Amino acid sequence: MNTSAIFSLAYRMVKSNKLRTGLTVTIIAFGIMALVGIITAIKALNQKLTESFSTMGANGFTIRFKERQIHFGGGGGNSDMKVAKKGARKEKTSELGKPITIEQSDAFRQYYTFPATTGVSVFVNRNTLVSYDTRKTTPNVLMIGADENYLLLNGFTLSSGRNMNQTDVQSARNVCLLGHDVATRLFKDNIDKGVNSIIRVNDIPYRVLGVLASRGSSFGFSRDNLVILGYKNIDKNFSNNVSSYTIAVMADDIRAVGDAMGEAEGTFRAIRKLNTTEESNFVLDRNDAIVEKAMNSLGFLTVTAKVIGMITLIGAAIGLMNIMLVSVTERTKEVGLIKAIGGKRKMVRQQFLLEAVIISLLGAFFGIILGVGLGNLLSLLLNTSFVVPWNWVIYGIVICTIVGLLAGLYPALKAGRLNPIEALRYE
């Protein structure tokens, strides 16, 4: 009997035991689904992170008073960190580092001589209320203080109006830029009408200079639900809500980023009045390292997926082995008949091994399809392209093949050792 005939016989036997095969396939499929599904979702998250931060430029970096915290959610599209309330800040200053003040930010821009574009920004809050005539937003608008370079340094573009200029920022004028969602809420379909209109930001009147082009959503939260004021104006009207300023730097040449960061650290250490023996009480964050940090923070999910998948597959292997042992017992007479008419021990072993492998691969097939489908539900939510983790698809097939071989090995050996005469007498 050749290999194709043995395979055909093994397939018919698997097909004839639908209930047992179905239960085992389901268990294996669940393990592979968990493994592939979580990996697919992580790849979708990584893709979204790359898209979200790619506009910031690989030749840029920021100076912060503590390391950037990666949060999945929270809205707004602001990349600045959440900060403590003013009272709590006094208790945590030594733990978090010394916040960067507006004076230190201005001093850095004055004394930093490296050929680069610099900018100052500050996170204010995420509960701002913006109104125009009788229309108003819900109190969940993100308020940011910034300078004239903020749009360039953070990948924003204008759909109408103009950007803030240096005079607007330094004179602390009551002017602002509106995110696309805020402009749509206040001015409906005619958002261009918003330019030069007088709106109220937390009951303070501001003139709208421009409306930002839409950037869509990130992780299910809009990046257009924001209002940008001049950082000097923030210091004048909302200073109680400010904790620490952020300084952004974009080098003219990507090859000079290392030198730019070195000079920036030296300049800011002098501004912070640190001596040579003291460690820097601030952090330099390179933009292209943000994605890497975020991806690393997802590493525990990969480990979790592997653990869940392996535990499930071990259980499935034990179940498959028991089913194959029961099958050997039920088919003792059949094995005896095959041997009596000249069938060799090797052929019997191959048949039972092939049955175990077929069941495992069926589990892998359905598990991969379900895993990729479930994982891409997140891609659909995040509005990213369809993701298929081909490496883990191949790993899943290989793992299930190994599981099938290991689970079927003992039953196959047992079937191969059966005495044909005693097998034919078996009741």
Side-chain angles (χ1 to χ4, degrees):
M1 189 179 287
N2 57 31
T3 304
S4 61
I6 295 172
F7 178 84
S8 177
L9 179 60
Y11 179 75
R12 286 201 301 272
M13 293 309 302
V14 168
K15 193 176 178 180
S16 65
N17 293 289
K18 291 183 175 63
L19 180 60
R20 291 177 186 172
T21 300
L23 289 173
T24 311
V25 166
T26 300
I27 297 171
I28 295 172
F30 181 81
I32 294 297
M33 179 187 71
L35 187 64
V36 174
I38 296 176
I39 298 296
T40 303
I42 290 171
K43 279 189 172 290
L45 280 171
N46 288 347
Q47 188 180 88
K48 188 62 179 180
L49 283 167
T50 303
E51 291 175 3
S52 297
F53 290 107
S54 62
T55 56
M56 296 173 66
N59 57 331
F61 60 94
T62 57
I63 302 174
R64 302 169 181 274
F65 87 108
K66 67 173 182 177
E67 288 189 0
R68 186 193 300 261
Q69 302 298 311
I70 303 298
H71 297 285
F72 298 103
N78 174 46
S79 61
D80 289 338
M81 68 197 77
K82 291 184 177 180
V83 293
K85 295 284 186 181
K86 195 171 183 180
R89 188 173 71 245
K90 293 180 181 178
E91 299 175 7
K92 297 186 177 181
T93 297
S94 60
E95 178 187 341
L96 300 179
K98 191 176 180 181
I100 298 172
T101 65
I102 190 170
E103 293 80 15
Q104 291 171 347
S105 302
D106 288 339
F108 179 84
R109 297 191 75 186
Q110 179 182 352
Y111 295 117
Y112 186 63
T113 58
F114 197 89
T117 303
T118 59
V120 176
S121 63
V122 61
F123 166 80
V124 183
N125 59 47
R126 285 189 174 90
N127 55 8
T128 300
L129 180 67
V130 184
S131 60
Y132 173 73
D133 288 342
T134 58
R135 299 184 190 128
K136 60 182 178 181
T137 66
T138 52
N140 66 345
V141 177
L142 171 68
M143 186 193 296
I144 297 173
D147 63 7
E148 67 278 7
N149 292 328
Y150 184 81
L151 301 190
L152 171 65
L153 294 170
N154 289 272
F156 285 96
T157 56
L158 286 166
S159 66
S160 58
R162 69 171 179 87
N163 188 18
M164 291 184 288
N165 57 37
Q166 190 173 13
T167 303
D168 295 325
V169 175
Q170 296 304 318
S171 62
R173 291 178 57 200
N174 281 22
V175 294
C176 68
L177 301 173
L178 293 182
H180 187 270
D181 286 357
V182 178
T184 302
R185 184 68 182 265
L186 299 181
F187 303 101
K188 302 300 181 181
D189 295 332
N190 190 17
I191 61 174
D192 292 344
K193 179 186 172 185
V195 178
N196 286 324
S197 298
I198 302 298
I199 64 169
R200 301 186 76 83
V201 179
N202 286 350
D203 277 337
I204 300 175
Y206 281 83
R207 182 177 295 277
V208 178
L209 294 180
V211 176
L212 302 177
S214 176
R215 297 184 71 185
S217 62
S218 179
F219 304 106
F221 297 91
S222 173
R223 294 186 288 176
D224 301 318
N225 191 37
L226 79 164
V227 58
I228 301 174
L229 315 179
Y231 76 94
K232 293 281 189 179
N233 184 272
I234 292 290
D235 186 55
K236 182 177 75 172
N237 293 333
F238 302 99
S239 59
N240 289 337
N241 300 100
V242 172
S243 175
S244 181
Y245 289 77
T246 298
I247 301 167
V249 181
M250 181 181 287
D252 294 343
D253 188 338
I254 192 171
R255 293 168 295 183
V257 175
D259 295 335
M261 293 179 73
E263 185 164 329
E265 183 171 15
T267 301
F268 205 59
R269 281 181 63 86
I271 292 170
R272 301 273 269 191
K273 295 181 172 59
L274 299 173
N275 61 45
T276 54
T277 59
E278 290 180 295
E279 290 187 8
S280 296
N281 55 3
F282 56 90
V283 176
L284 273 73
D285 251 346
R286 186 163 174 170
N287 290 347
D288 57 4
I290 299 170
V291 178
E292 185 179 350
K293 276 186 181 180
M295 290 178 179
N296 289 340
S297 71
L298 295 172
F300 75 97
L301 290 176
T302 305
V303 175
T304 303
K306 291 177 182 178
V307 171
I308 293 172
M310 288 304 117
I311 291 174
T312 308
L313 288 173
I314 289 170
I318 294 170
L320 179 57
M321 182 184 293
N322 287 332
I323 285 175
M324 295 306 298
L325 285 171
V326 170
S327 181
V328 170
T329 303
E330 288 181 345
R331 292 156 58 191
T332 300
K333 277 191 175 182
E334 176 192 324
V335 173
L337 181 61
I338 290 172
K339 286 193 168 187
I341 60 176
K344 298 187 179 298
R345 180 179 297 185
K346 179 182 177 182
M347 187 194 77
V348 174
R349 287 200 301 263
Q350 285 179 345
Q351 180 185 340
F352 280 89
L353 275 175
L354 277 172
E355 287 180 26
V357 171
I358 288 170
I359 292 172
S360 289
L361 289 178
L362 283 172
F365 175 75
F366 290 112
I368 288 167
I369 290 176
L370 289 172
V372 171
L374 288 174
N376 275 288
L377 289 177
L378 185 61
S379 294
L380 191 64
L381 179 65
L382 297 178
N383 197 27
T384 61
S385 59
F386 192 81
V387 178
V388 179
W390 290 110
N391 55 335
W392 280 97
V393 168
I394 295 169
Y395 294 157
I397 293 171
V398 172
I399 289 170
C400 284
T401 302
I402 294 171
V403 165
L405 288 171
L406 293 177
L409 185 61
Y410 176 65
L413 291 172
K414 183 178 179 182
R417 286 197 297 264
L418 287 175
N419 186 292
I421 297 174
E422 291 179 359
L424 288 169
R425 292 175 177 173
Y426 182 81
E427 295 293 337

